[in-house]
Amino acid sequence: MENIGVYIHIPFCLSRCYYCDFASSIANQEQIDRYVEAVVKEIKLLATQIKYHYIVDTVYIGGGTPSVLSAKQLGRIVFNLRKSLKCDIREFTVEVNPCSVDRTKITAYKRMGVTRVSIGVQTFNPEVAKAIGRKHTPEQAVQATKWVVESGLDCSVDAMLGLPNQSIEDVDEFVDIVQANGVTHVSAYMLKLEEGTAMYKAKQQGKLELPDEDATCDMYDRIKSRLEDIGFHRYEVSNFCRENKESRHNLKYWQCKPYVGVGLAAHSLIGNRRLYNPSDFDEYYTKIDQGKLAQRLEQKLSIEDMMSERIMLGLRMDNGMDIVGFNSDFDVDFLDTYRQKLQKVQQYLNISKERVSIKQEYMGVMNVIISELIF
Amino acid sequence: MPKGQSKIRNFCIVAHIDHGKSTLADRIMDVTSTVAKRDAKEQLLDSMDIERERGITIKLTPVKMNYVYDGEEYELNLIDTPGHVDFTYEVSRSLKACEGAILIVDASQGIEAQTLTNVYLALDNDLEIIPVINKIDLPSARPDEVKMEIEDVIGLDASDAPLVSAKEGIGIEKVLEQVITLLPPPSGNIDAPLKALIFDSYYDSYKGAISFIRVFDGEVKAGDKIKMMSTSKTFDVTEVGVFVPKMQPQDSLSAGDVGYLCASIKNVSDTKVGDTITLAEGGVTEPLAGYKEVAPMVYSGIYPADGAKYNDLKDALEKLKLNDASLVYEPEVSTALGFGFRCGFLGLLHMEIIEERLEREFDLDLVTTAPSVSYQVVKTNGDTELISNPSNLPPASEIAEMQEPVVKAFLFTPPEYVGTIMELCQDKRGEFVDLTYLEATRVRIEYSIPLNEIVYDFFDSLKSRTKGYASLDYEIVGYKKSDLVKLDIMLNGEVCDALSLIVHKDKAYARGRAIAEKLKEVIPRQMFEIPIQASIGGKVIARETVKAMRKDVLAKCYGGDITRKKKLLEKQKEGKKRMRQVGSVQLPSEAFMSILKFDK
C-alpha cells in the first residue's frame, strides 16, 4: 500500500485579507456546521475509493482559516478521518490565524493528534499588517507562537515579503521573533497580486505603492541569510526550517507523491489524474448530498506530463530532483534523455548521478531554467 | 463615333484628408444612379479595408457615369485620387487624365496643407478648378469665411462655389451642373495615332495587369498591338472597357475616353504609372510629358517574427508588388533578425500601409526596423553609392562626403503654435524659408528639413505639440551635403546591426543617450546583466545597464493548481519565443521601432 497525504480545505475566515484570492467566505456558525457535515460525508465517500489502496501518512488542514472552527467541529472531521481511512499519521498540520486561536484550542489540537501548527503571521509590523488587511496585532501573533511551542507542537509561521510600507528592518525583526520564540519552520512568500483582489484593484487605480522587484528580492535575500544565521536552512524556494522540520505533507506536492483534497476547491493527485473539487458551495453541496464525490478531472497526465511536473516541482527544492527515482519510475535515463536541454542551462545547475538541483543563486529565477528543460 | 467629345467631362476631386472627398464621390454616384443603393457601401471607391478604416484613398478607381442635364445626356468620368503626400506623383498622373477638378474645402476647417498642394498640382496640369464648400451641415461651418480664404489664399473665384453637405446629400446637383457648364470637354484627335496615358494599374489574377488609361488621341480596341513607350515593350490588347464602377467591356476607347485596358501583361511593373501607350506600328514618337520613375524615399527592414515564415513573407511581398509598382524590396540578412527584406516606400504612410497589409491580409507577424532614408555616399575613390541600410555604410575612412535627402516642408497652423513649431523645426535641423499669414487664424510656415528628421518622430512631435491642429505637407527637393555619422548600438558588447542608424553628428550624442535609455526600458531583465552602449566609430558615447533578473519564480505551487501553474510557464515561454536572440540577449520586437519614439 502506498502512502497518501490528505488535504482538508476550510473555506471560512473572519475577514478577507486584501491580497487573498483563495476560496473562502466570511464565517457564520450555521454554514460552518453544514460544511463540516459535508466534509465528513465526503471523507466517507472517499474511503470507499482509496481505503484499500492508500495509507494516510500526512494530514494538512488549511484554508481559509481552520481555526475559525470550534475544537468540536474540527474534532468531528478528524474523528471521521481516522475512522474511515487507513491511517498511520506521521505529520498533522493545522493552519491558524492569531485572531481565532487560543490556548484551549491548541491543547485540543494536540489531543486530536495534531503535530504541527502553521500560523498565518505574514508580518509583525502593525502598519504593514493593516495595509494588507490582517486584523491581528503583533502581540497576538507572538502569543500564538508561544502557545504552540509551549504545547510541544512544531510551530511554523508564514511571512510575506514585498508588502506596502515593508522594510528590511521588518524582516530582521521577523527573524528575531522567530528565534526568540522557538519557531522551527518559516514559509516566506513574495507578494503576488492576484487579479480580482482588493490590492490588485488598488494597484490598478494607482492607489497602492509597493516595493519594487529589487527591494522585494533584497528582503527575500535578507530573510534567507538571517534564517541561515540562526540555524535554519532553505529546503524549498519559499520554505525554511530547522533540521528535520520540513513539512512532509508539502514535500509530497514537490515530489509528485499522491494526495487527496477534501472540501471546497481542494485538488488531488491520484495516480496519473489531477482532480479538483468545485469552488462553488452550492455545486459542492449538491454533489455530496446526492452521495457522490464532487471531484472533477482537471488533467489526465501523460508520461511526458508527469516527467515535466516532476522536474518543474522537483527543482523548487534545494536538494533538487531525485534522478534515481525519476529513472526507475519512468524507465528512462534522465541525464541522457535531457542531455541537450541540460546543456543549455548547465551553468545554472548542480548535476550529479543522483540528483539535479538549481544553484542557490539562481533559485529566484528558476522559471527560465525550468522552461528550458520542460518545453 | 457613338458619342461626341463635347458630351464628355473628365474630372477628379481633390481635397485635404478628411474633407469629404470619398463621401462626395459616393453622393455623385447616387445622384447619377451609377450604383444601386443596395450595392452602396460607404466610400465606395475606397476598395481596401485599410482605405475605408483610415478614410483615405490609396488605389485610384475611375468611374463612368451618365447624367442628363438640360435635356442632354453627358458622360462624366470621375477619377478618384489618393489623398496623401506619399502619392503625389500618382495624384499628378491622375490629374493629367482630367480636364478639371472639384476642389473640396471643409466649411469649418478651411484650407489645409494638402488643399494647397493639390491645387498647385491641378494648376500645374492645366485643370479648371471648381471650388466646393463641404460639410455645411456642421454647426461650426463658416462657409463665407472659407470662401474668402479660397479667394485670398488660392486666388480662385469662390463666389459661386456650391455649398454642399456630401453626408446629407445637399447641393450635389449644383456640383454636377458646374462640372458640365464650367469644365471643358476633352479635346483630341480621334484620327491621330493612339496616345493614351496610364494613370494607375492593378493586378488581376485572370486578366493580368490592368491599366487604367486616358486616351488623348486616336482609338484603341481589342486586337490592337500596343507599345509601352518607356520600355518599348509590346502587347496584344485583349479587352478594353469602362468602369461603371464595375468593369464593363467596350468595343473601343477613343480620344477623350477614360477606361481600362487588358493585354495579358504579366507584371504591373510593365504598366508604369505615367507611361504613354501607343500603337506598336504607326504609333506616335513623342510620349506625353511628365513621366518619371518613382523612387522610394523611405526604407525599412521587414523580417518575419518567426524566422521560419521567411518564404511566406516573400510570397506576400510578391503579391503586394503585383499591385503596387512603387513598392521595392530586396532580400537582406541581419545578424540580429535573420533573413528578411529591405523594403523601399514612397513615404511613411506608404510604409505603414504595406506593413499593415502584410500583417492583416497575409496574417504575418513582422519585426520592422526603424525607417531610414537613402543617403548618397561619395567615396574617397570617387565612387558614389546610394545607401539605404545603415549597416551597409562603408567605413568612415572610405567616405569623402555624405549627402542626405532634403524636403520642402509646409506647415499649416493656428498662430499660437508658430513658436513651438519653429522650435521643433529648428531642433530637426530645419532651415527657415518663409512664414505667411493666410488669414488672421492661420499661418503657413515653410522650412527646408532633412527627410531623415521627418522619418524619425516628426509627425508625432508635431501632433503632440500642437494638439493636432497643425498639418504638414512636404516634397522632396534633392540631396544636400551633410555631416553624418553612423550610430551603433551594442548589447552585451556586440553590435546589433538592426539597431544601427545614421544621424547628424550634432545629434548623435543626444540620440545615442535617448536610445540607450529607451532600450533599457524595453529590454526585460535577463539571467545576466546587459550593458547597452551607443557608439560612433567604436567610441562609446552613452551607456545604460539592464540589471540581471532576480525574480522569476512561480508563487506557492502547493497541490492546488499545478496544471494552471504549468500553463503559466508555457505562456511565459511562448512570450519569449516572440523575442529576438541578438547574441546572448533576448530582444523584444518593439525594441527595433522603439528607438524612434522619444520626443519629450
Side-chain angles (χ1 to χ4, degrees), chain A residues 89-114:
Chain A
I89 299 173
R90 300 299 172 94
E91 179 190 277
F92 187 155
T93 307
V94 179
E95 286 181 351
V96 303
N97 183 301
C99 291
S100 52
V101 76
D102 54 40
R103 191 191 290 273
T104 333
K105 240 179 218 177
I106 300 285
T107 313
Y109 290 166
K110 191 172 184 193
R111 251 186 257 125
M112 286 171 213
V114 169

Side-chain angles (χ1 to χ4, degrees), chain B residues 8 42 57 72 126 147 161 172 193 218 232 324 362 370 375 380 445 469 473 481 494 535-536 550:
Chain B
I8 300 178
E42 279 296 293
T57 307
E72 303 263 13
D126 300 324
K147 276 188 184 178
I172 311 300
S232 296
D324 186 346
F362 298 92
Y375 299 91
T380 43
I445 313 170
Y469 277 110
D473 200 6
K481 186 181 166 184
E494 284 177 58
S535 75
I536 298 168
R550 294 179 67 185

Side-chain angles (χ1 to χ4, degrees), chain A residues 189 214 218 221 254 267 364 367, chain B residues 525 547 550 552 557-558 560:
Chain A
Y189 305 106
D214 282 307
D218 287 344
D221 289 348
W254 306 313
H267 287 62
N367 282 358
Chain B
R525 293 167 74 160
K547 284 191 283 183
R550 294 179 67 185
D552 187 13
C557 265
Y558 291 117

Side-chain angles (χ1 to χ4, degrees), chain B residues 325-395:
Chain B
S326 48
L327 166 69
V328 300
Y329 62 92
E330 57 180 39
E332 85 176 355
V333 186
S334 151
T335 40
L337 296 171
F339 291 96
F341 296 91
R342 171 108 330 214
C343 301
F345 309 97
L346 298 174
L348 289 173
L349 180 81
H350 188 211
M351 178 178 85
E352 272 179 51
I353 288 165
I354 295 290
E355 287 169 3
E356 214 168 308
R357 291 188 66 188
L358 285 171
E359 297 205 316
R360 239 195 259 193
E361 294 170 28
F362 298 92
D363 200 22
L364 290 166
D365 261 340
L366 302 177
V367 179
T368 52
T369 65
S372 138
V373 303
S374 65
Y375 299 91
Q376 294 221 20
V377 178
V378 183
K379 294 170 63 172
T380 43
N381 66 7
D383 291 354
T384 301
E385 259 185 66
L386 212 55
I387 299 289
S388 60
N389 181 349
S391 5
N392 294 343
L393 194 70

